[in-house]
Amino acid sequence: MESLHSSSCINLQELKRHYTGNDLFMIQHIGISDATDEAVVLYLNSLVDEKRLNQFIIRKMNKDLQENSGPAGDVLLESLHTLGDVTILAEIQEIINHLADANFVLLINGHAQAYAMKLPGFETRAIDEPQVELNIRGPREAFTEDLQTNLGMVLRRIKSPQLKATSYVIGKDSQTKVMLLYLDDRTDPKVLNELRQRMDSIQLDVLSDSMQIEEWIQDSTFSPFPQLLNTERPDRVVTAMNRGKMVIMTDGTPNALITPSTFFEMLHPSEDQYERFYFANFLRIIRFITLIVSLVGPSFYIALTTFHLEMIPTPLLMTFLSAKAGIPFPTFIEALIMEVAFEVLREASMRLPRIMGQSVSIVGALIIGEAAVQSGIVSRPMVIVVAMTGIASFTIPYYSTAIALRLLRFPLMFLTALTGMFGLSIGMFIVIFHVCSLRFCGVLYLDPIGSEGYKNSIMKIFLPPVRYRARLKRSELHAPVRQSHYYQGKEWD
């Protein structure tokens, strides 16, 4: 990298060359009578608060120069240090990076260094309620796009000196700030070191969202299942770190990534922590049932009505046959038509304005379903099955997991249409085998199943009362130094 010269004129010319044709690059000369002591302030006017810069900082510098008779460079530095934290820069590239990060930079002739101070002038979104992870009880704060604001919400909740943070700058052009947070006394050091290596290996030109980090560092790139948990809730992040997880926060993204994450955590929203344990466990059982319905509901109906009629009770079979009379398509085509129509309506409702979205999705589903039945394209039982499947998918707390189940529903339907229950069994075996093979940094995706005794597994899947949770935390603290039950030592490759 190119180091700074002691001449401010040479440094300024080099910076002008980098910002040729960029009207955002602004230069203000400090009022020094001696030309050899020339000093300039550089900034990008859309990022820096230009009004504060002129009224308070540059005016104060000029006033201090008039009132002090010492060397102008020393006077300017003393004046700047009284205004806030100053970062010393030694290279041209560092100046470019700090200008893009809402800093103004002071160049002084005779100094082979530059001096930067942050002075953001752009607006940021205020802290609001979560838009996706809605809770009846519990905190009502959600992350914003500003990294410092997000860090503040986490630091307010964890005041332990064990909270550690590692900063990264990712993106050759975007220079996006990323923070890795964890509790040092709870995190498995082997998993932490592996995650750090993966973070160091990221090579992107522009980092615009944490999703790019997620795809880069995950083990199974082509798996439909999310391997890192994405959340917009600070309380969820704090709870995860208390359990030995690590958190990745990206500037410009109102979400945080929690890792290592497991399949069962994708089914447990943060609201479970704020409900009585028996009610929370009841809801967890309901979600697991609806997960199965969402995945195999249409396939199971296709198998029964196409290949295994003897498994249906006679009165129900007669109802199905009477409803099926006059339908020109086989059951698989019926299900495919309704599933595609449901997905189109769901996607359209997300793209429409919020006020219209719900109305269009509900009214559209009713009209299309009724019209399809009346015209003889699909049967009424099929409409009920697809509607129940769609409703079941909405009970999955995390959107990425729900998308994976919706995606897998179609190949399972195709396999079932070919060979009935045998095809459905083969498809489910493939899905289960794939989920069992997933891991992140050596952590089993189905943890705690397979890595602990059945009693500990049940305690991790279901929610015990608060006092038992507290005892469990204390026992973990007195265990041998971070012998994490997550780490499967020799399985990294």
Side-chain angles (χ1 to χ4, degrees):
M1 291 187 178
E2 186 178 355
S3 299
L4 291 174
H5 197 274
S6 59
S7 171
S8 62
C9 294
I10 295 177
N11 295 331
L12 186 58
Q13 289 300 322
E14 182 63 24
L15 287 167
K16 285 181 178 179
R17 184 179 66 83
H18 282 278
Y19 286 98
T20 301
N22 190 344
D23 293 337
L24 299 177
F25 182 60
M26 308 298 293
I27 304 171
Q28 289 208 33
H29 294 265
I30 305 297
I32 302 175
S33 57
D34 187 355
T36 60
D37 286 333
E38 183 183 14
V40 291
V41 171
L42 313 174
Y43 61 95
L44 299 178
N45 65 359
S46 293
L47 297 178
V48 169
D49 189 338
E50 198 168 12
K51 183 177 180 181
R52 288 173 57 197
L53 177 64
N54 290 322
Q55 290 186 354
F56 299 104
I57 296 175
I58 294 181
R59 178 179 293 181
K60 184 178 186 305
M61 289 183 181
N62 287 327
K63 181 180 179 181
D64 290 343
L65 284 173
Q66 295 175 1
E67 295 177 352
N68 294 276
S69 58
D74 295 341
V75 173
L76 288 174
L77 285 180
E78 184 178 353
S79 177
L80 189 63
H81 279 287
T82 61
L83 296 171
D85 295 330
V86 179
T87 304
I88 300 176
L89 313 176
E91 297 175 345
I92 293 292
Q93 187 60 46
E94 290 182 340
I95 294 179
I96 295 173
N97 294 341
H98 278 73
L99 288 175
D101 195 30
N103 286 262
F104 70 87
V105 176
L106 175 65
L107 292 178
I108 302 175
N109 194 44
H111 290 238
Q113 295 175 326
Y115 309 93
M117 181 180 292
K118 200 170 187 65
L119 191 67
F122 48 85
E123 295 294 330
T124 58
R125 185 166 60 93
I127 297 175
D128 203 353
E129 292 190 12
Q131 301 298 312
V132 179
E133 300 175 64
L134 301 176
N135 276 10
I136 296 176
R137 298 182 64 178
R140 300 298 179 95
E141 288 183 337
F143 288 130
T144 69
E145 287 76 10
D146 184 62
L147 179 61
Q148 298 302 320
T149 302
N150 297 341
L151 289 173
M153 285 190 277
V154 174
L155 293 174
R156 282 207 327 265
R157 291 171 166 84
I158 297 183
K159 301 177 176 64
S160 170
Q162 295 296 331
L163 177 60
K164 309 297 181 183
T166 305
S167 62
Y168 298 87
V169 177
I170 299 176
K172 178 183 176 182
D173 298 326
S174 63
Q175 295 290 303
T176 306
K177 289 185 177 180
V178 178
M179 297 294 294
L180 173 64
L181 304 177
Y182 58 94
L183 288 175
D184 193 46
D185 60 339
R186 294 186 180 272
T187 305
D188 189 321
K190 296 178 180 179
V191 179
L192 177 60
N193 291 335
E194 175 67 12
L195 180 59
R196 283 174 170 169
Q197 292 177 15
R198 297 188 184 192
M199 293 291 291
D200 291 332
S201 69
I202 298 176
Q203 297 179 1
L204 296 170
D205 290 334
V206 175
L207 176 62
S208 55
D209 189 78
S210 58
M211 178 275 298
Q212 296 166 276
I213 298 178
E214 179 180 356
E215 285 198 358
W216 189 283
I217 65 177
Q218 66 185 6
D219 285 53
S220 302
T221 303
F222 298 101
S223 173
F225 290 96
Q227 294 158 56
L228 283 81
L229 196 151
N230 192 314
T231 181
E232 60 177 343
R233 298 186 64 93
D235 58 318
R236 178 77 177 186
V237 164
V238 170
T239 302
M241 285 195 293
N242 192 41
R243 293 174 178 171
K245 309 288 185 178
M246 294 158 286
V247 176
I248 301 172
M249 304 180 72
T250 307
D251 192 23
T253 302
N255 298 287
L257 297 176
I258 298 175
T259 180
S261 298
T262 63
F263 178 75
F264 292 101
E265 290 172 345
M266 304 291 179
L267 305 179
H268 301 163
S270 58
E271 187 176 15
D272 286 357
Q273 303 292 327
Y274 310 122
E275 297 289 352
R276 298 296 297 270
F277 71 96
Y278 46 79
F279 182 64
N281 289 325
F282 171 74
L283 291 179
R284 288 187 176 188
I285 295 172
I286 293 295
R287 289 190 205 104
F288 191 77
I289 294 173
T290 56
L291 179 146
I292 297 174
V293 172
S294 174
L295 183 60
V296 302
S299 301
F300 190 73
Y301 178 78
I302 291 170
L304 288 181
T305 57
T306 306
F307 294 93
H308 309 286
L309 295 175
E310 69 280 0
M311 297 177 62
I312 306 175
T314 302
L316 185 60
L317 176 61
M318 299 304 296
T319 303
F320 283 170
L321 292 177
S322 62
K324 182 71 175 173
I327 304 299
F329 302 113
T331 306
F332 169 68
I333 301 299
E334 282 187 77
L336 191 62
I337 291 173
M338 291 305 299
E339 285 290 346
V340 171
F342 193 88
E343 294 298 329
V344 170
L345 280 172
R346 178 157 27 193
E347 188 67 16
S349 65
M350 292 180 62
R351 302 290 171 253
L352 287 170
R354 186 175 302 177
I355 299 176
M356 299 174 56
Q358 273 189 333
S359 302
V360 170
S361 62
I362 296 172
V363 174
L366 291 173
I367 292 175
I368 291 178
E370 185 63 25
V373 171
Q374 293 293 335
S375 59
I377 297 176
V378 297
S379 60
R380 293 186 185 276
M382 179 56 71
V383 174
I384 296 173
V385 169
V386 172
M388 289 299 298
T389 304
I391 293 172
S393 67
F394 288 127
T395 64
I396 308 301
Y398 293 100
Y399 183 68
S400 298
T401 306
I403 289 179
L405 298 177
R406 287 158 52 189
L407 182 64
L408 291 173
R409 192 186 303 156
F410 289 95
L412 287 178
M413 289 167 52
F414 180 75
L415 288 173
T416 305
L418 291 178
T419 57
M421 283 294 185
F422 178 74
L424 178 58
S425 301
I426 293 297
M428 287 302 298
F429 175 79
I430 294 173
V431 172
I432 294 172
F433 182 81
H434 171 70
V435 173
C436 290
S437 68
L438 291 178
R439 62 189 67 239
F440 181 84
C441 294
V443 178
L444 292 174
Y445 193 56
L446 284 183
D447 183 89
I449 294 178
S451 61
E452 294 185 347
Y454 73 95
K455 290 184 179 179
N456 288 331
S457 298
I458 292 174
M459 289 290 285
K460 294 296 176 62
I461 295 173
F462 293 99
L463 191 70
V466 173
R467 63 176 63 187
Y468 292 101
R469 275 181 269 167
R471 291 176 186 173
L472 181 62
K473 296 297 181 186
R474 288 194 292 269
S475 65
E476 288 177 353
L477 285 175
H478 291 89
V481 181
R482 288 172 289 190
Q483 294 295 320
S484 172
H485 56 275
Y486 295 117
Y487 176 63
Q488 305 294 321
K490 297 181 180 180
E491 302 292 336
W492 287 36
D493 297 327

